[in-house]
Amino acid sequence: MKTRDWPIRSKLTALVVAPVTALLALWMFATTLTFGPALNLLSARTLLYDLGRPGETVVTELQRERRLSVVQLAGNTELPALAEQRGRTDRAVAELRRRVDGEPLRDAADDPLETRIDQLVTALSALPNGRKFIDERKVDRAGAIGLYSGMVSAAFQAFAGMATLTDPDINRQALALTALGRSRELLGQSDALLAGALTAGRFAEGEHTQLVQAIGNQRWLTESAVADLPESSRVAYQRLTESEAFTRLRSMQDALVVPNRSGRPTVDAAAWQASQDAVQQQLRDFELSEADALTDRSVPMAVRILVRLAAAGVLGLVAVVVSVLVALRVGRTLVRRLSGVRTAALELAEHRLPDVVARLRRGEQVDVAREAPPLEYGHDEIGEVGRAFTEVQRTAVQAAVDEVTLRRGLNEVFLNIARRSQSLVHRQLHLLDRMERRSEDPDELAELFQVDHLATRLRRHAEDLVILAGSAPGRGWRNPVAMVDLIRGAISEVEAYERVDVKAVHPAGVLGRSVGDIIHLLAELVENATAFSPPDTRVTVTGAQVANGYALEITDQGLGMSDAALETANTRLASSPEFDPAQSARLGLFVVARLAARHGVRVRLRPSGEGGVTAVVLVPGDLVTTEPPAGPDPATLGTASADPSRRPARTARRGAVTRPRTRPPTVPSASTAPPAPPTGAPTSTIPPANGRDEGSATPDEPDDELDGLPRRVRRRTPTAQPRSTVTDTPSPRSPEEVRQVMAALQAGTARGRATAITPTVPTGPAASTGPAVSTGPTVPTGPAVEAAPTDPPTTPEPPTVTERDA
């Protein structure tokens, strides 16, 4: 039985029940031991009147019948007095049987006494057969005396069984009375022997010896019995023995015990009979009076015992009840106090401390003394435990305050570092922009654009620290931005932008206050899709207006995720948990969850039909608006049929969706027209916009934000010439080359004119809203020349992974 895990209430109950039960059992045992003797004393009256008196009557009648039976056997005739005596004996035996069969006597008698009563009844049942033998003279005088003496002896055995009283004085007196009865029986046996001898005229063989033994035993037994009687009883018996009958009977007994050679009795029959009857009656009356006195003494004594027993029982019961009450009260107090300590501990662990930590994380001030009040539970051990626990909870709350303060300080450090990094990145982007404007070498310009793209990604990673620190990034827009430009701005911040295809995107706009965060959110998901899919696969982005907002889907063809991993990621995206530094490998999930929770955007991952994963981004309806208006394609400027409201559906290379932009007409400048690239210059995919924020413009940078998103296009000065090997003798050109040069010149002129109107001109399908980064010079396209799509550079295959990481 394991008691270690029992509740404290059960332990205290067991601790109380065990001694109380033992005390109660001891009280019951002591009460039983005392109550039994009291019942014995009270049952003495029942035994006397239901067994003692009827039994003594039966003994007396049997003694008389025995004497008459011996006289009849000594003579030759039937005695009429014997028949009458037998009738009296039968009536006495019947009354005794009726009494011993009653419930009161059986209830008052113990087991040994019941056994002796049964033996007496069995002995009396032999009386009819004994009488028959006597009437038929089949027994002699000695046999008749033995028959009746056996019955009388069984009666005295029953009388001795009654003397089992608990009081020693009363019990000794009862045994003394029984011994006096036995001495009177010996006197009766002597009378029967002498009556037979007197009737026959002489003693039979051995009768004189029996007579002498009976007289001797009777005297000895009488002296022993009288010695155990109380003083008053001894005095009464002494007066009784000084009477004339006792004196005469003793003289005749002395004459009988003298050796007699003649064999004839030496006493007068009439004188013996008179003295014998008188002494028998006096002894019987003395015994009955002493028995009544003994009974009268036992009843008050039993009452006193019962009174003491009742007092002791009541006091014991009161002690048991008081013990139980004290144990229950003390146990209840202990349970209540210990339960109070337990409740306080659980309250601190489950509610107060988490609430304090939550309030501290919300930036609220917390009073440690108020949040950890002292627990007052007295000055004993439990009170010491309460005071110790008070110190523990104060330490815990103070530790929580210190931890949150430390975390807040770390967040401030992260935020400070991130802000500084953002400032440096902004300055780096401005410097790169100026360098791009002054650069004349197309290869150097291409490398500058690659550095520009890396700086744009670095800015996004710096914004991750700002978001994880609980602050908002610095970028922001005032006006709505078209959804397609927002998507391109997100793609521009991804390394493998050339693998991203923008499919069908329904026209829509996003309010300016959420543009920066949604661009960042989409960039994290797109980068996640490109990082965890093979390098030779495509990542597609689609958008559609739905009933409760705008849904964007980013689908890759990677290894996919298990159901458990998807469930874990979706739970983290939906709940926006606190950032755990131990989960730094899942940094993107925290960033996406924070950005989504900030604007009520719902993000969920699900398996795609091609084995990869689809990230579904649901922008709420209160952030979605109509798409901002856009002007005509710059390539169509200068034509009479140009419609400012027309939106050409030009499909970009690799599926990129373009959105043409316009500027108010200005006077074209020849200095803004870029020269034609050299023949055979490589072309490449132009990456999408880099998402430059409004505050990043510098005074020497032209306004490139036509519809809310920054847009920069790689420029070249008119005097810039591509690097080539200069020879003294120019190489001859074929007509096709001349035609291409002239077409490029014409296209460049058109671009120059368009640049005079707007600084940025989309250069074909890959036009975007951000920095155009390429690995080679841009091939201008015009009405007659389009940039032919080429395959993107080969990208090294990323390592095989089994779980997506944002």
Side-chain angles (χ1 to χ4, degrees):
M1 181 173 57
K2 297 181 179 180
T3 60
R4 186 174 183 178
D5 298 330
W6 284 10
I8 188 64
R9 187 180 299 274
S10 300
K11 291 180 180 178
L12 290 177
T13 301
L15 189 64
V16 169
V17 167
V20 170
T21 302
L23 180 61
L24 184 62
L26 183 61
W27 172 78
M28 295 175 63
F29 179 72
T31 303
T32 303
L33 289 180
T34 309
F35 189 67
L39 290 181
N40 289 337
L41 291 175
L42 289 177
S43 64
R45 182 180 293 273
T46 301
L47 296 177
L48 176 63
Y49 288 101
D50 289 346
L51 178 61
R53 289 293 179 85
E56 193 276 335
T57 302
V58 169
V59 168
T60 301
E61 299 299 333
L62 287 175
Q63 289 174 347
R64 292 172 180 173
E65 184 177 345
R66 178 180 57 190
R67 184 176 185 281
L68 294 175
S69 298
V70 171
V71 171
Q72 179 174 320
L73 289 175
N76 296 323
T77 60
E78 298 290 336
L79 296 177
L82 179 59
E84 295 177 2
Q85 182 59 43
R86 288 178 176 178
R88 289 191 296 268
T89 303
D90 291 339
R91 288 191 294 272
V93 171
E95 178 64 18
L96 177 62
R97 289 180 182 273
R98 186 182 68 81
R99 293 293 184 91
V100 298
D101 291 338
E103 290 294 331
L105 178 61
R106 294 294 181 176
D107 294 337
D110 55 4
D111 293 340
L113 181 58
E114 286 188 359
T115 302
R116 295 186 180 187
I117 291 174
D118 294 336
Q119 293 175 355
L120 172 60
V121 172
T122 303
L124 293 176
S125 62
L127 183 59
N129 292 330
R131 289 173 177 174
K132 184 179 180 181
F133 292 154
I134 291 173
D135 293 340
E136 295 177 355
R137 296 184 179 273
K138 292 183 178 180
V139 293
D140 54 3
R141 290 178 293 178
I145 292 174
L147 174 65
Y148 288 98
S149 296
M151 298 178 189
V152 174
S153 178
F156 278 106
Q157 292 291 336
F159 296 157
M162 294 170 54
T164 57
L165 302 177
T166 54
D167 186 81
D169 295 336
I170 297 179
N171 194 59
R172 185 169 58 253
Q173 186 177 355
L175 291 176
L177 291 178
T178 304
L180 283 177
R182 287 181 178 274
S183 68
R184 188 164 58 86
E185 161 62 14
L186 291 175
L187 184 59
Q189 292 181 11
S190 302
D191 178 57
L193 288 172
L194 186 59
L198 289 173
T199 303
R202 60 180 297 116
F203 291 104
E205 184 178 358
E207 286 184 346
H208 186 267
T209 303
Q210 292 180 4
L211 177 62
V212 173
Q213 291 176 352
I215 293 173
N217 291 336
Q218 182 262 328
R219 290 181 177 180
W220 175 85
L221 194 58
T222 300
E223 292 178 0
S224 300
V226 171
D228 291 333
L229 290 176
E231 181 66 25
S232 59
S233 299
R234 287 200 301 271
V235 172
Y237 185 80
Q238 186 65 30
R239 287 198 300 266
L240 181 64
T241 57
E242 293 175 356
S243 64
E244 182 181 358
F246 266 89
T247 304
R248 188 169 55 249
L249 181 61
R250 180 175 291 274
S251 299
M252 287 186 287
Q253 287 180 340
D254 293 339
L256 289 173
V257 298
V258 174
N260 187 358
R261 297 183 179 274
S262 63
R264 295 179 180 274
T266 59
V267 296
D268 181 59
W272 173 265
Q273 185 66 40
S275 300
Q276 167 69 22
D277 293 340
V279 170
Q280 281 282 359
Q281 187 63 40
Q282 291 177 4
L283 289 175
R284 184 174 179 232
D285 293 340
F286 178 80
E287 292 175 9
L288 292 177
S289 63
E290 289 296 324
D292 292 337
L294 184 63
T295 303
D296 294 337
R297 288 176 55 195
S298 64
V299 172
M301 187 175 295
V303 171
R304 289 194 299 271
I305 292 176
L306 289 178
V307 170
R308 291 196 300 267
L309 175 62
V314 170
L315 291 177
L317 184 60
V318 169
V320 171
V321 172
V322 169
S323 300
V324 172
L325 293 178
V326 171
L328 290 178
R329 182 178 179 83
V330 174
R332 187 177 302 173
T333 303
L334 291 176
V335 169
R336 183 173 63 253
R337 296 171 66 191
L338 292 175
S339 299
V341 175
R342 171 180 173 273
T343 303
L346 293 178
E347 177 70 19
L348 175 67
E350 297 178 358
H351 301 287
R352 188 179 300 168
L353 193 58
D355 180 67
V356 169
V357 174
R359 288 163 54 193
L360 288 171
R361 289 177 178 175
R362 292 195 299 266
E364 299 180 12
Q365 295 296 328
V366 174
D367 186 3
V368 177
R370 181 179 179 182
E371 297 299 332
L375 301 178
E376 297 295 339
Y377 289 98
H379 301 283
D380 58 353
E381 289 80 359
I382 298 179
E384 293 177 358
V385 172
R387 288 190 292 273
F389 183 74
T390 299
E391 296 299 325
V392 170
Q393 68 177 354
R394 285 182 180 176
T395 304
V397 174
Q398 186 63 47
V401 173
D402 296 340
E403 179 185 357
V404 173
T405 303
L406 177 61
R407 180 173 294 185
R408 187 182 299 143
L410 290 177
N411 288 343
E412 294 294 335
V413 172
F414 291 158
L415 185 60
N416 190 11
I417 295 174
R419 292 298 188 191
R420 293 183 180 183
S421 299
Q422 278 189 316
S423 177
L424 294 177
V425 171
H426 286 318
R427 292 171 60 186
Q428 181 182 3
L429 289 173
H430 296 161
L431 179 61
L432 288 173
D433 189 72
R434 289 195 298 269
M435 293 175 65
E436 290 168 4
R437 293 176 188 277
R438 292 194 302 266
S439 178
E440 298 179 357
D441 189 345
D443 294 334
E444 183 179 353
L445 186 61
E447 293 177 355
L448 287 175
F449 273 106
Q450 290 180 359
V451 175
D452 187 290
H453 182 57
L454 293 175
T456 303
R457 293 170 53 207
L458 181 61
R459 178 182 59 187
R460 177 166 61 86
H461 295 320
E463 286 181 355
D464 288 346
L465 289 177
V466 176
I467 294 169
L468 292 176
S471 184
R475 291 191 295 170
W477 280 259
R478 293 183 297 272
N479 301 321
V481 176
M483 186 65 70
V484 62
D485 295 332
L486 187 144
I487 295 173
R488 289 204 306 268
I491 297 174
S492 70
E493 299 186 4
V494 179
E495 180 179 7
Y497 60 86
E498 73 278 356
R499 292 174 49 202
V500 183
D501 296 337
V502 181
K503 299 293 186 181
V505 178
H506 291 181
V510 178
L511 296 181
R513 69 174 185 271
S514 61
V515 168
D517 291 341
I518 296 180
I519 288 176
H520 195 145
L521 185 150
L522 294 177
E524 293 286 348
L525 294 176
V526 171
E527 186 173 54
N528 189 58
T530 58
F532 288 92
S533 60
D536 56 346
T537 59
R538 311 296 299 173
V539 176
T540 61
V541 181
T542 61
Q545 193 85 27
V546 294
N548 53 348
Y550 196 92
L552 295 167
E553 293 187 358
I554 302 170
T555 305
D556 61 46
Q557 302 176 18
L559 299 176
M561 299 175 66
S562 63
D563 294 339
L566 282 175
E567 184 66 24
T568 302
N570 287 327
T571 302
R572 183 172 297 172
L573 290 172
S575 60
S576 181
E578 287 289 333
F579 173 63
D580 185 5
Q583 299 292 332
S584 59
R586 305 291 185 264
L587 187 64
L589 287 179
F590 289 103
V591 175
V592 172
R594 287 281 183 89
L595 294 174
R598 182 176 299 169
H599 299 285
V601 178
R602 295 170 56 188
V603 181
R604 185 167 183 82
L605 304 180
R606 68 185 184 191
S608 65
E610 300 176 356
V613 174
T614 298
V616 181
V617 180
L618 179 61
V619 182
D622 57 351
L623 298 180
V624 180
T625 182
T626 58
E627 186 177 54
D633 193 335
T636 63
L637 292 176
T639 61
S641 62
D643 186 0
S645 63
R646 185 170 65 87
R647 299 280 309 281
R650 179 180 296 174
T651 304
R653 183 174 181 270
R654 295 296 186 187
V657 177
T658 62
R659 186 168 182 268
R661 310 166 186 273
T662 61
R663 274 278 193 164
T666 59
V667 178
S669 173
S671 64
T672 61
T679 304
T683 63
S684 64
T685 301
I686 300 176
N690 69 343
R692 181 75 59 85
D693 64 273
E694 294 176 355
S696 65
T698 58
D700 59 347
E701 180 181 359
D703 186 6
D704 294 330
E705 298 181 10
L706 301 182
D707 54 357
L709 284 175
R711 182 170 64 88
R712 296 203 332 273
V713 179
R714 184 176 62 183
R715 298 181 177 85
R716 296 180 59 184
T717 61
T719 59
Q721 299 293 335
R723 293 181 180 179
S724 62
T725 304
V726 180
T727 59
D728 295 334
T729 303
S731 60
R733 298 182 179 179
S734 64
E736 289 77 8
E737 293 178 348
V738 173
R739 183 176 62 79
Q740 291 179 0
V741 170
M742 294 303 295
L745 180 60
Q746 182 182 3
T749 303
R751 289 182 57 192
R753 293 174 180 174
T755 306
I757 298 174
T758 172
T760 305
V761 178
T763 59
S768 67
T769 63
V773 180
S774 68
T775 60
T778 303
V779 180
T781 61
V785 180
E786 291 288 335
T790 61
D791 292 333
T794 303
T795 306
E797 182 177 356
T800 303
V801 295
T802 59
E803 182 176 302
R804 176 177 300 274
D805 176 28

